Amino acid sequence: GFDLDLTNHESASLFNDPVKGTVMHGNTALNAPGQKDMFDKIIGGTNGTHDFTYEMVLRSNVTGSIDAGKNPDIVFSKGTSSATLRYGNTTIGFYFLKKGTQDWKDTLYKTSFNTSEHGTEFVTVTGTYTSANGGTLCSYFNGQLLCKMEQVGAVTPSSLDLWIGKDPNKTERTGSGDYSSARIFGDALTAEEVKLSDADKLKLDNIVTWYDFNDATVKTVVDVTELNTA
């Protein structure tokens, strides 16, 4: 596995939440030794056709409409052209730039479910990419399929770090969420697997990274009130 040490990360803080215990707020790169190489292989890779899944348990703090193009609220990103899971408008979308084109494939604009109504709740958001049959993108909210896009092509590779809460291409694009658990899988979870309990997901053999922030290395844990007024 890969360790996550937030001790020296000025852009990320952990605090005690009455619902989830310790959660993370802010942004951090997932770049433990060997981790970046692993993400480079599965997210885009050499030919853009490796299957993968992003999944996050979070309280988004997104409670209204936001500008999806100029100021999206980032959950996971490996750069603007590579795979990004983010909030925009009043919902959530999973997108990437189709390899070899200037054609962005994005579930957001084909999704009508208003996730912002749940912005103060802890929820699970999931994005999957399957390379077979021309490529398929899916986005899920609490296990419910929001959008399925077929014939999307291959993912544009990126040499940038994978980030929680920030787009490494456009660093002004960040996330406002409180993150409880971050997961990356080395294939596309099926619709049935997305609905599994956390205990059953932990039994899957395709986990690349799974962080529960209750278990993260931390120097100090601050109260949520202190964090929000810092």
Side-chain angles (χ1 to χ4, degrees):
F2 299 106
D3 293 331
L4 179 64
D5 187 347
L6 299 177
T7 303
N8 297 315
H9 284 241
E10 295 181 356
S11 61
S13 300
L14 299 179
F15 66 86
N16 285 317
D17 181 84
V19 177
K20 289 291 187 179
T22 303
V23 299
M24 187 194 103
H25 184 90
N27 53 76
T28 186
L30 302 181
N31 57 4
Q35 195 173 29
K36 181 181 182 302
D37 290 342
M38 179 65 71
F39 291 144
D40 285 351
K41 290 177 182 177
I42 70 167
I43 303 169
T46 56
N47 58 10
T49 56
H50 198 296
D51 299 357
F52 65 94
T53 297
Y54 291 162
E55 185 167 84
M56 182 72 79
V57 180
L58 82 163
R59 179 173 49 215
S60 72
N61 298 316
V62 175
T63 57
S65 183
I66 57 177
D67 190 322
K70 294 182 180 179
N71 192 32
D73 204 89
I74 304 296
V75 180
F76 284 110
S77 181
K78 208 171 185 302
T80 305
S81 298
S82 195
T84 297
L85 183 66
R86 56 77 167 88
Y87 281 80
N89 300 343
T90 58
T91 189
I92 190 163
F94 188 35
Y95 79 85
F96 68 86
L97 179 64
K98 182 179 179 180
K99 186 179 179 184
T101 74
Q102 290 298 309
D103 182 12
W104 268 266
K105 301 298 183 180
D106 192 349
T107 67
L108 183 107
Y109 300 106
K110 298 180 181 294
T111 304
S112 59
F113 185 78
N114 186 351
T115 58
S116 71
E117 294 180 351
H118 304 269
T120 61
E121 307 166 13
F122 276 95
V123 299
T124 302
V125 295
T126 310
T128 69
Y129 170 75
T130 308
S131 61
N133 301 315
T136 302
L137 272 179
C138 292
S139 57
Y140 298 83
F141 183 83
N142 281 341
Q144 173 188 346
L145 179 66
L146 298 184
C147 182
K148 180 178 181 180
M149 292 181 65
E150 298 177 316
Q151 298 294 316
V152 294
V155 178
T156 299
S158 169
S159 61
L160 298 171
D161 287 334
L162 175 64
W163 280 75
I164 294 171
K166 185 165 79 171
D167 180 338
N169 269 138
K170 296 189 176 183
T171 56
E172 72 277 9
R173 295 179 173 180
T174 58
S176 56
D178 301 322
Y179 309 108
S180 174
S181 183
R183 304 96 180 253
I184 308 294
F185 297 85
D187 62 15
L189 296 186
T190 65
E192 292 74 23
E193 288 172 332
V194 171
K195 294 178 181 179
L196 290 175
S197 67
D198 287 354
D200 286 334
K201 282 179 183 172
L202 277 168
K203 298 175 184 177
L204 299 174
D205 60 6
N206 55 2
I207 297 170
V208 175
T209 289
W210 183 299
Y211 291 131
D212 287 324
F213 288 101
N214 260 321
D215 299 325
T217 302
V218 60
K219 186 175 181 180
T220 56
V221 177
V222 300
D223 180 80
V224 62
T225 304
E226 177 184 345
L227 176 70
N228 289 339
T229 57

